[in-house]
Amino acid sequence: MLDADPASLELSPDTIRALGADVIDRIVAHLGSLDRQPARGDVHAEALCRSMREPVPERGTDVGPLLDALFNEWIPRSFTTPGPGYLAYIPGGGLFPAALADFISASTNRYTGVWMAAPALVQLEANVLDWLRVWMSFPDTTRGLLTTGGSMAVFNAIVCARERLLGPDIRDGVLYTSTQVHHSVVKTARLAGILPDRVRTIPVDGDFRMKVEALAEAVRDDRAHGLRPFMVASTAGTTNTGAVDPLDAIADLCAAEGLWHHVDGAYGAFFHMCEELRPLLRGLPRADSLTLDPHKGLFIPYGTGALLVRDGSALRDAHAATAGYLPGTPDPDEFYDPSQYGPDLSRGFQGLRVWLCIKVFGAARFRAALAEKRALAVDAAARIAAVPGIAMVAPPQLSLFAFHLTWPGAAREDENAATTELIERVTARGRVMLTGCTVDGRFLARVCVLSFRTRQPRIDACVDDVAAETAALVAYFATIRAANPPPGAR
Ligand SMILES: *Cc1c(COP(=O)(O)O)cnc(C)c1O
């Protein structure tokens, strides 16, 4: 396979063709078997990982055995994130054209950090950002950035808001979010210099939405103590229960108080593509900045998030930098220069994977898929809520719902144990993978429908498996408690 010249790292055209064909065959087989793979592979793999530690290979080896190990042993030992039964966390699936785009990007290895090095390729990325802007009903002044994920998107939003509203003196700045915030906001706030004692987590209402009155009060209180409120990070679709904060009311408050309103739409923002679902996200287009996660709601493989900033100059001011050796663009207002809008200089070509998927399928198909995922979630939630023993705590606001087990006389800790066991048993059946979350001491099972591969039959399997295991568990817990009443109970 390798060249006879010991200093050569080039492969021959025949070798490239043969390797490519081998990989394609394996990928076709892998994708074709996704609906038969267990929804969660066996991830108890400490011994496997120990056995895999190896010294630096001094000489090269054939690719075939490496691919055998990858496809047969290592890839299966993982959550089946691209499969139709992945209803855990926030799914996406991973559209295949993105894999082609990555293959092309890596093979052609063009430099997209500065406009001048690959103007037409950077234009594709600018097109993608503009499409995201249009879908989110943001104005022309918007500029954006493709990132590695939602976490880096909100990090850059916090830096923008901090630079705009606090200037160099950042210690008194206060950021507000809700108790249901994704932990990445608090984590990246710290990276951006906003320490945990300057982050306020506002309580939520019975639907897990931020209480705007409590927010207003916290802002007043901090001002009264000489601090400088500067930013609210609300959520359009929380990771725990899928709640959409009252974005419109928060936008009003931010406008009145001169605060930067960031909306974390990592899970929920792409539902704004669907005209009929826009009322669920009312106020989203008024945000000063917005996190989107194409690797969730646009079904792209992991590795692509996005940030939109309504006043694009705030994004540029936060990141603009020059170096004597770098070429500029002819007109920075007309031509997008990625390294002037984000922290990366040399970077992967994120734009192509998103651009190719949108071009291949067209926006109409994405809208139809998103609307279908929501309809499936609404259907599943209604059927699961009707199962005796289920308490539906969070019906779907978008395509995620959360519930727990209950029975007459149940204690909270028993319900938590039973709900934990439910997730495990349903997942062990192999057809769907569920995960849970703890909210105020209450453990909830959650179902999130957002993989493009999740269709009606898999939702039916989910409902059947949840119903069967619920019946067994509720009977079991009700019986053991009847036989062993807790001390003091009669
Ligand atoms: C997934 C998620 C994030 C974090 O995004 P990553 O892409 O995982 O970095 C932030 N907020 C919400 C609501 C999410 O669902």
Side-chain angles (χ1 to χ4, degrees):
M1 187 184 90
L2 300 183
D3 206 289
D5 172 354
S8 167
L9 295 168
E10 203 61 85
L11 298 175
S12 75
D14 283 345
T15 302
I16 290 173
R17 215 171 273 121
L19 289 176
D22 186 2
V23 169
I24 284 281
D25 285 346
R26 291 170 195 263
I27 287 172
V28 169
H30 179 79
L31 296 180
S33 74
L34 275 178
D35 66 341
R36 298 187 305 277
Q37 293 178 24
R40 181 186 66 193
D42 174 11
V43 287
H44 299 292
E46 291 88 344
L48 171 67
C49 292
R50 285 187 195 109
S51 76
M52 288 172 68
R53 292 170 191 155
E54 56 182 350
V56 179
E58 185 58 23
R59 311 222 168 264
T61 60
D62 282 343
V63 175
L66 306 180
L67 296 180
D68 286 343
L70 252 180
F71 280 89
N72 302 335
E73 291 170 46
W74 302 334
I75 291 173
R77 301 295 294 270
S78 49
F79 299 165
T80 312
T81 41
Y86 192 68
L87 308 175
Y89 307 104
I90 311 281
L95 294 172
F96 182 70
L100 288 180
D102 286 1
F103 184 49
I104 295 166
S105 296
S107 301
T108 59
N109 195 28
R110 292 311 202 260
Y111 190 86
T112 57
V114 295
W115 180 86
M116 188 58 98
L121 300 181
V122 172
Q123 185 60 49
L124 299 181
E125 189 154 322
N127 290 357
V128 164
L129 289 167
D130 203 51
W131 297 340
L132 299 183
R133 173 187 79 73
V134 168
W135 286 333
M136 299 301 129
S137 306
F138 267 50
D140 287 347
T141 52
T142 302
R143 290 292 177 274
L145 176 70
L146 292 180
T147 63
T148 45
S151 303
M152 288 315 288
V154 70
F155 170 67
N156 283 290
I158 296 169
V159 171
C160 282
R162 193 198 74 191
E163 292 264 301
R164 261 296 143 100
L165 294 173
L166 297 180
D169 208 357
I170 64 178
R171 186 57 189 127
D172 290 340
V174 186
L175 184 158
Y176 303 80
T177 186
S178 89
T179 57
Q180 295 302 300
V181 65
H182 189 275
H183 72 276
S184 62
V185 174
V186 182
K187 170 176 166 173
T188 61
R190 195 174 64 200
L191 296 181
I194 310 302
L195 303 185
D197 65 337
R198 295 291 189 259
V199 176
R200 307 280 179 258
T201 51
I202 305 298
V204 293
D205 65 16
D207 294 322
F208 305 100
R209 297 169 157 132
M210 196 192 298
K211 285 183 170 166
V212 182
E213 258 318 302
L215 171 63
E217 208 176 293
V219 169
R220 273 197 303 273
D221 194 50
D222 281 324
R223 284 206 206 283
H225 286 86
L227 296 174
R228 289 195 293 157
F230 78 104
M231 182 174 197
V232 178
S234 65
T235 311
T238 61
T239 317
N240 280 344
T241 64
V244 180
D245 283 331
L247 306 176
D248 223 19
I250 294 171
D252 287 341
L253 180 86
C254 287
E257 294 281 345
L259 307 178
W260 182 289
H261 184 203
H262 177 78
V263 173
D264 178 357
Y267 156 53
F270 281 107
F271 288 101
H272 200 266
M273 287 176 69
C274 305
E275 196 84 44
E276 73 280 12
L277 299 183
R278 286 185 179 180
L280 301 172
L281 296 162
R282 212 159 55 86
L284 177 143
R286 295 175 63 197
D288 292 299
S289 54
L290 174 67
T291 296
L292 299 118
D293 241 350
H295 62 205
K296 290 174 179 168
L298 214 51
F299 319 119
I300 306 285
Y302 294 118
T304 301
L307 171 68
L308 295 180
V309 179
R310 160 179 237 90
D311 173 1
S313 67
L315 185 61
R316 193 161 70 198
D317 290 349
H319 293 100
T322 51
Y325 67 93
L326 284 178
T329 64
D331 176 358
D333 286 327
E334 182 179 0
F335 297 107
Y336 179 74
D337 204 356
S339 60
Q340 301 301 304
Y341 288 90
D344 292 326
L345 180 55
S346 302
R347 58 201 280 278
F349 183 21
Q350 299 273 11
L352 190 64
R353 61 202 328 248
V354 188
W355 179 84
L356 193 63
C357 289
I358 297 171
K359 289 291 281 188
V360 164
F361 294 113
R365 252 175 219 269
F366 283 94
R367 284 196 302 271
L370 284 160
E372 184 195 65
K373 300 320 148 201
R374 172 168 156 84
L376 288 173
V378 169
D379 169 55
R383 289 157 67 196
I384 286 176
V387 171
I390 297 273
M392 183 62 61
V393 172
Q397 295 182 28
L398 297 168
S399 72
L400 194 175
F401 57 93
F403 56 96
H404 65 83
L405 295 193
T406 191
W407 55 92
R412 166 78 64 97
E413 72 194 62
D414 287 344
E415 291 175 337
N416 286 353
T419 306
T420 304
E421 183 67 15
L422 174 75
I423 290 176
E424 193 47 44
R425 290 194 186 185
V426 167
T427 300
R429 286 179 166 228
R431 301 200 289 181
V432 296
M433 176 175 168
L434 308 187
T435 49
C437 64
T438 301
V439 179
D440 294 336
R442 157 78 71 195
F443 187 77
L444 301 174
R446 35 191 303 298
V447 169
C448 182
V449 187
L450 198 62
S451 170
F452 72 93
R453 291 195 174 95
T454 303
R455 312 297 300 271
Q456 187 71 55
R458 197 57 67 133
I459 291 298
D460 295 343
C462 174
V463 173
D464 290 350
D465 289 352
V466 167
E469 295 296 350
T470 294
L473 277 167
V474 167
Y476 171 77
F477 273 87
T479 321
I480 56 163
R481 271 308 177 204
N484 307 288
R490 268 282 139 236

